[in-house]
Amino acid sequence: MLILHSFLILFFTSLIRSDPCPQVCICDNIKTFVTCANKNLTEIPANIPQYTQKLILQKNEFKVIPSGAFFPTPYLTHLNLQNCSIETIEEGAFRNLARLRYLNLGSNRINIIHQESFDGLSSLENLILEKNRIEEIKAGAFSQLGALNFLNLEDNFLVYLPDMVFQGLLQLKWMRLSKNMISIVSTETFAVLPNLKRLNLDHNELQYLPTEALTRLSSLTRLELGWNPMTFILEEALQMASLKQLFLNNMALQDVSYKAFEKSKQLSFIDMSNNQIRTIQPLSGMEQLKSLNLTGNSIICDCFLRQFKEWADVLRLKVDLICFGPSHFLGDHLDSLRAIDLKCGNFPEEVYKLPIVTEKPDVENLCPQSCDCKTNVKHAICDNKSLQKIPKGFNEDTTLIDLRRNSFHSVPKGAFLNMKNVASLHLQNCEINEIQPGAFMGMRNLLYLYLSHNKISSLNPNVFEGATKIGYLFLDHNKFTHIPKETFRSLPNLFSLHMQNNTITSLSNNNIAMARKLHWLYVTGNQIDYIAPTAFRNVRDLEKLYLDQNMLSEVPTQALKGMNKLIELRLSKNPIKNIGNGAFVPVSKSIQHLYLNDMRLQQISNGAFLGLGKNIKSLYLENNNLQNLPNMKMFNGLEVINLANNPFNCDCRLLHLHRWISGLNLKVGATCATPKNLRGQKVRNAKFVLCPGWEGNKNRNKRKIPAISTSKTKAKKYKQ
Ligand SMILES: *[C@@H]1O[C@H](CO)[C@@H](O)[C@H](O)[C@H]1NC(C)=O
Ligand SMILES: *[C@@H]1O[C@H](CO)[C@@H](O)[C@H](O)[C@H]1NC(C)=O
Ligand SMILES: *[C@@H]1O[C@H](CO)[C@@H](O)[C@H](O)[C@H]1NC(C)=O
Ligand SMILES: *[C@@H]1O[C@H](CO)[C@@H](O)[C@H](O)[C@H]1NC(C)=O
Ligand SMILES: *[C@@H]1O[C@H](CO)[C@@H](O)[C@H](O)[C@H]1NC(C)=O
């Protein structure tokens, strides 16, 4: 038996040997594994050995995979064509590959999948099409892939998923459609996927849950829908009998019907973190629910939450929820409170007491023509309707109006006069260049106002008259060159101000100081080169300050004075070359996350981090020009640190960093650039020596760090 066996091996080996390895490729001994990667080939090599099983062709320049390209290699099980500049897959390109199990076509330029592109791949289990430009998948394109388990279409240009596109994928278990631009899912898109267990639809453009389409997925257990611009979830919006895990995080959810998941009885985990939910009722029909994530919402822990809390206690549900109010519970975890402590009364915040959704008969249902009104959740949707004037005639109890993508140019005075129940108004992408004083008059409960992607360059101080509850104001991507003066005086409750991607050049004396309750300020992506020392005077509650992608040439230490609650400071991508002593002292007690990456930073003084220490959880210093760093020992609470892409000089003076990193249990990314013999080595692993006379120098480290130097502070005057 043994003899026969050896004989057979000998026989086959000699048979295979008769096929030479192509010159540009590398083959293993028996030529079943062939790699021709990274060769700038424009055609698939002609003489790949016939018995090849694994063929690696990544990083070439094929552009086209012609019909029958792999006819000579019918034994392939594994084929990698990543990064080959492929634009076209001709019909029948993979014919004759009935044994292929793995096909990687990622990072190419494919924009259409033809009907017969994948013909013949009857054993294929993994198909990777991520990072292409796929806009269209022809009907029947996957119909021959009856063995496919995993399909990855992430990061393409899909907008619309027509009926039956995935027809034939009878064994498919996991499909990734993340990071496309999907806004429409047809009702039969997911028909006949009887084995699909997991679906990723996150990072798309879905505004509503495609209820009917999802209902077809009878075996799905995990559904990821995060990062889609949905604002509400209606009752019975999800009817998925097997679903266990549901991700609805980082959307714009404001309302979730208590009956939303009633028909998805197996749900055990729901993630609704980072939305805009203000109160929530017990979710009906959820006997299996174990964990509900509601962090990053603005939920008020008052009497309206009591019923929810009681329900959660009975179910022994793990709820992640940090109270956003009332003020005596601000920041408290719901776990730490008892149901009976959730009360209403002592505080005048009636804005939060939204009527709990009850099924009272609607007496009259007003809805402007060209809008779509969801009366049960009191939302009016008039998105992208070519409107030129703000419509009138909304029901008075409407709580959300969506007017995105119209062309109003101007918002006139009194445009929303009777809309006293609206909490959220969407006016993004409306070509608005003028907002008249009193435009939002009457909107007594407006909390979220979205005005991003318009052409606004200034705001009259009286623009927000009568809408004093506004807490979240979005003005990103407009034409502001400065922070509007006096405007925030009329917004005493402003909590979060978004002015990213404008062309603001400086933050002057008083304009922000008016917004005394401001907690989060986002001015990323402007041209700010000066911040007045008093710019934030009185803004004592600021927690997040995003100053990244601006033109600052130094850390605005003076302006940070008095910010005792600042948690996160972003200065990335500013042309700051040096950080001087005591730069962060004013915020050193509170700050936890510090972003100093991508700044062309050359030097950090020995006392630059004075006062900082175990509070710091993340520190970003990557992509700078740092050759050395001051002592980092005091950072002993870090969870993230990034030092990558700095030209560290690994001589004896960097020994302290090497020692510090060696004691850290974190990925750091620091590598040596000099001296030459250490270039490219990790600071963690490089061999360091003590500096000559080190023992004698030791005391130097103990010397007091110089006090805060203010002499360098720019004396530039701000021109009003
Ligand atoms: C491939 O082409 C690029 C640019 O045309 C060149 O820089 C590179 O050296 C080439 N690689 C090989 C392996 O020929
Ligand atoms: C493909 O190219 C991308 C971008 O050029 C690169 O990030 C990726 O690592 C490459 N992948 C492979 C397998 O070569
Ligand atoms: C809840 O969501 C937050 C924010 O997304 C996340 O940091 C946290 O880990 C989540 N908790 C659970 C239990 O999933
Ligand atoms: C807006 O509507 C037009 C037709 O009315 C349509 O062609 C376009 O795709 C829509 N845009 C978006 C972003 O939905
Ligand atoms: C700002 O502009 C950048 C680049 O165009 C974009 O990636 C980012 O999403 C924009 N941010 C906002 C808030 O509009």
Side-chain angles (χ1 to χ4, degrees):
M1 187 62 197
L2 195 68
I3 295 169
L4 179 67
H5 193 209
S6 337
F7 172 76
L8 276 178
I9 289 178
L10 211 72
F11 173 75
F12 275 112
T13 341
S14 60
L15 191 88
I16 293 166
R17 279 237 176 87
S18 62
D19 258 352
C21 186
Q23 242 183 357
V24 290
C25 306
I26 299 167
C27 306
D28 69 344
N29 280 338
I30 53 168
K31 302 195 196 77
T32 58
F33 180 10
V34 177
T35 170
C36 330
N38 217 347
K39 292 288 192 278
N40 292 353
L41 301 173
T42 55
E43 277 176 27
I44 294 162
N47 45 351
I48 308 269
Q50 185 188 1
Y51 292 95
T52 305
Q53 290 173 8
K54 190 165 175 181
L55 178 58
I56 311 292
L57 291 168
Q58 71 201 41
K59 294 203 186 159
N60 284 295
E61 295 287 330
F62 299 135
K63 300 217 164 60
V64 179
I65 304 294
S67 186
F70 300 96
F71 237 89
T73 48
Y75 296 94
L76 284 182
T77 59
H78 188 112
L79 176 58
N80 191 331
L81 287 161
Q82 256 179 303
N83 288 20
C84 287
S85 307
I86 299 168
E87 289 161 15
T88 312
I89 300 177
E90 287 188 359
E91 309 213 330
F94 303 107
R95 235 170 247 153
N96 212 28
L97 294 184
R99 294 163 203 235
L100 197 68
R101 295 205 306 270
Y102 174 94
L103 174 58
N104 194 335
L105 285 160
S107 302
N108 282 295
R109 299 183 198 143
I110 304 165
N111 65 18
I112 182 163
I113 305 285
H114 294 288
Q115 193 189 348
E116 292 171 39
S117 291
F118 299 121
D119 266 19
L121 296 172
S122 55
S123 302
L124 196 66
E125 291 168 7
N126 292 289
L127 175 57
I128 298 168
L129 288 162
E130 64 175 347
K131 300 198 173 88
N132 276 280
R133 300 174 183 175
I134 301 170
E135 283 174 41
E136 192 179 353
I137 301 171
K138 292 279 192 206
F142 301 125
S143 63
Q144 306 228 349
L145 303 181
L148 202 68
N149 266 285
F150 176 56
L151 174 60
N152 188 348
L153 282 160
E154 180 168 328
D155 214 343
N156 277 289
F157 297 167
L158 293 167
V159 173
Y160 172 57
L161 297 179
D163 283 338
M164 309 302 281
V165 262
F166 304 114
Q167 190 186 10
L169 298 173
L170 293 173
Q171 292 302 322
L172 196 67
K173 308 243 169 7
W174 182 10
M175 174 149 62
R176 293 188 68 102
L177 287 162
S178 317
K179 297 190 189 162
N180 278 277
M181 299 183 288
I182 300 167
S183 61
I184 301 167
V185 179
S186 188
T187 53
E188 302 301 329
T189 296
F190 301 124
V192 212
L193 290 169
N195 284 300
L196 197 69
K197 295 273 183 297
R198 181 166 176 189
L199 175 63
N200 294 68
L201 272 167
D202 51 292
H203 294 87
N204 277 291
E205 298 289 336
L206 293 168
Q207 293 197 29
Y208 314 110
L209 268 182
T211 305
E212 222 177 314
L214 292 171
T215 304
R216 304 285 183 272
L217 293 168
S218 55
S219 300
L220 204 76
T221 59
R222 182 178 168 116
L223 175 59
E224 292 174 45
L225 279 163
W227 306 92
N228 278 287
M230 289 185 207
T231 51
F232 55 88
I233 297 186
L234 294 175
E235 62 187 62
E236 298 183 2
L238 206 67
Q239 308 181 12
M240 304 180 71
S242 306
L243 197 66
K244 294 203 165 92
Q245 291 169 302
L246 174 63
F247 293 81
L248 298 168
N249 53 303
N250 297 79
M251 314 217 280
L253 289 179
Q254 296 185 351
D255 276 308
V256 178
S257 162
Y258 70 101
K259 291 177 155 187
F261 313 118
E262 213 174 46
K263 300 237 166 117
S264 306
K265 294 209 177 295
Q266 296 300 316
L267 272 173
S268 68
F269 172 80
I270 306 177
D271 185 348
M272 294 200 278
S273 59
N274 300 324
N275 280 291
Q276 301 169 4
I277 299 166
R278 287 191 296 153
T279 192
I280 185 158
Q281 292 178 273
L283 299 172
S284 66
M286 299 278 82
E287 276 94 38
Q288 303 298 321
L289 198 62
K290 301 273 182 304
S291 174
L292 179 58
N293 196 341
L294 286 164
T295 46
N297 283 283
S298 21
I299 295 180
I300 307 301
C301 297
D302 63 5
C303 61
F304 293 103
L305 199 67
R306 191 183 301 162
Q307 228 189 335
F308 171 84
K309 170 70 175 160
E310 285 163 355
W311 167 77
D313 287 348
V314 169
L315 265 187
R316 294 168 185 270
L317 186 62
K318 179 181 176 310
V319 180
D320 275 298
L321 190 166
I322 311 280
C323 301
F324 186 71
S327 47
H328 53 278
F329 289 149
L330 181 71
D332 285 353
H333 202 286
L334 185 65
D335 268 356
S336 68
L337 306 176
R338 296 174 309 170
I340 53 164
D341 296 331
L342 305 178
K343 292 182 191 148
C344 294
N346 309 339
F347 32 91
E349 299 168 14
E350 77 278 4
V351 53
Y352 300 124
K353 299 182 196 166
L354 277 189
I356 288 186
V357 184
T358 48
E359 261 116 323
K360 70 162 195 284
D362 276 305
V363 189
E364 49 171 351
N365 278 327
L366 293 173
C367 185
Q369 216 188 3
S370 75
C371 294
D372 175 13
C373 298
K374 318 257 173 196
T375 47
N376 45 354
V377 288
K378 308 188 175 78
H379 288 179
I381 313 295
C382 334
D383 167 23
N384 191 24
K385 296 286 200 252
S386 310
L387 298 173
Q388 311 218 337
K389 273 176 115 178
I390 299 202
K392 297 269 182 197
F394 293 102
N395 239 358
E396 252 186 50
D397 63 358
T398 307
T399 62
L400 181 147
I401 302 180
D402 186 347
L403 288 162
R404 264 175 272 199
R405 289 186 274 253
N406 287 291
S407 51
F408 299 129
H409 300 284
S410 167
V411 186
K413 179 174 179 178
F416 302 96
L417 263 187
N418 295 319
M419 306 313 301
K420 58 177 183 294
N421 289 307
V422 172
S424 183
L425 177 59
H426 292 260
L427 284 165
Q428 301 99 312
N429 296 83
C430 285
E431 298 179 43
I432 296 168
N433 53 38
E434 182 206 29
I435 304 181
Q436 292 182 2
F440 306 106
M441 192 83 102
M443 303 193 88
R444 297 207 299 267
N445 285 311
L446 190 62
L447 193 59
Y448 297 90
L449 177 56
Y450 298 87
L451 285 163
S452 301
H453 290 270
N454 281 297
K455 298 175 177 165
I456 309 166
S457 58
S458 65
L459 290 173
N460 182 291
N462 301 320
V463 156
F464 300 115
E465 212 181 326
T468 53
K469 292 266 164 67
I470 292 175
Y472 297 79
L473 180 57
F474 295 82
L475 293 165
D476 301 312
H477 232 290
N478 274 288
K479 296 195 181 303
F480 289 98
T481 55
H482 57 274
I483 303 269
K485 220 175 155 184
E486 297 290 319
T487 305
F488 302 120
R489 193 188 286 283
S490 55
L491 294 180
N493 294 304
L494 192 64
F495 183 91
S496 184
L497 176 60
H498 301 248
M499 295 195 75
Q500 308 196 55
N501 291 357
N502 280 282
T503 49
I504 299 169
T505 54
S506 65
L507 301 183
S508 64
N509 274 329
N510 259 320
N511 301 349
I512 301 169
M514 299 285 175
R516 295 190 177 202
K517 291 247 186 89
L518 200 64
H519 280 60
W520 303 339
L521 176 62
Y522 302 86
V523 284
T524 303
N526 280 283
Q527 292 163 18
I528 300 167
D529 64 2
Y530 174 69
I531 301 182
T534 54
F536 300 106
R537 199 182 47 190
N538 303 330
V539 189
R540 306 263 169 195
D541 288 337
L542 210 62
E543 290 173 355
K544 290 188 194 177
L545 178 55
Y546 283 28
L547 288 165
D548 44 321
Q549 297 182 43
N550 276 293
M551 313 284 275
L552 294 171
S553 56
E554 58 182 29
V555 177
T557 307
Q558 296 298 323
L560 298 177
K561 279 194 176 158
M563 283 188 200
N564 300 325
K565 297 186 178 165
L566 197 72
I567 293 171
E568 180 170 340
L569 175 62
R570 296 200 183 201
L571 288 165
S572 319
K573 299 196 181 168
N574 277 286
I576 299 177
K577 289 208 182 102
N578 297 297
I579 297 184
N581 290 331
F584 305 103
V585 162
V587 294
S588 62
K589 293 277 181 298
S590 58
I591 191 129
Q592 297 178 10
H593 308 283
L594 188 52
Y595 289 75
L596 301 170
N597 52 295
D598 297 87
M599 301 212 303
R600 293 179 237 159
L601 195 53
Q602 291 174 353
Q603 209 209 335
I604 300 181
S605 305
N606 279 331
F609 294 138
L610 188 67
L612 303 181
K614 68 172 188 329
N615 282 342
I616 298 285
K617 297 209 170 88
S618 38
L619 179 58
Y620 297 86
L621 280 163
E622 69 271 22
N623 302 324
N624 280 308
N625 273 324
L626 295 167
Q627 298 187 7
N628 205 327
L629 276 180
N631 202 325
M632 305 286 279
K633 267 202 310 225
M634 66 288 195
F635 292 117
N636 54 13
L638 284 174
E639 288 164 13
V640 179
I641 171 137
N642 194 342
L643 299 177
N645 289 323
N646 279 293
F648 285 113
N649 178 15
C650 293
D651 69 7
C652 65
R653 285 165 296 178
L654 208 68
L655 177 63
H656 70 94
L657 187 69
H658 165 75
R659 285 182 170 162
W660 180 70
I661 292 176
S662 307
L664 272 187
N665 198 7
L666 293 173
K667 187 167 180 287
V668 175
T671 49
C672 307
T674 51
K676 247 201 191 127
N677 62 323
L678 293 180
R679 170 170 303 165
Q681 285 206 32
K682 295 209 158 51
V683 172
R684 192 193 294 270
N685 303 332
K687 281 255 179 309
F688 281 82
V689 288
L690 291 179
C691 289
W694 168 260
E695 287 305 319
N697 277 343
K698 228 177 182 175
N699 292 334
R700 233 183 50 183
N701 288 345
K702 290 192 181 143
R703 221 191 279 162
K704 270 255 164 71
I705 288 158
I708 309 174
S709 138
T710 51
S711 59
K712 274 204 205 143
T713 314
K714 244 204 237 160
K716 179 172 165 185
K717 273 260 167 65
Y718 175 64
K719 307 176 284 294
Q720 283 284 347

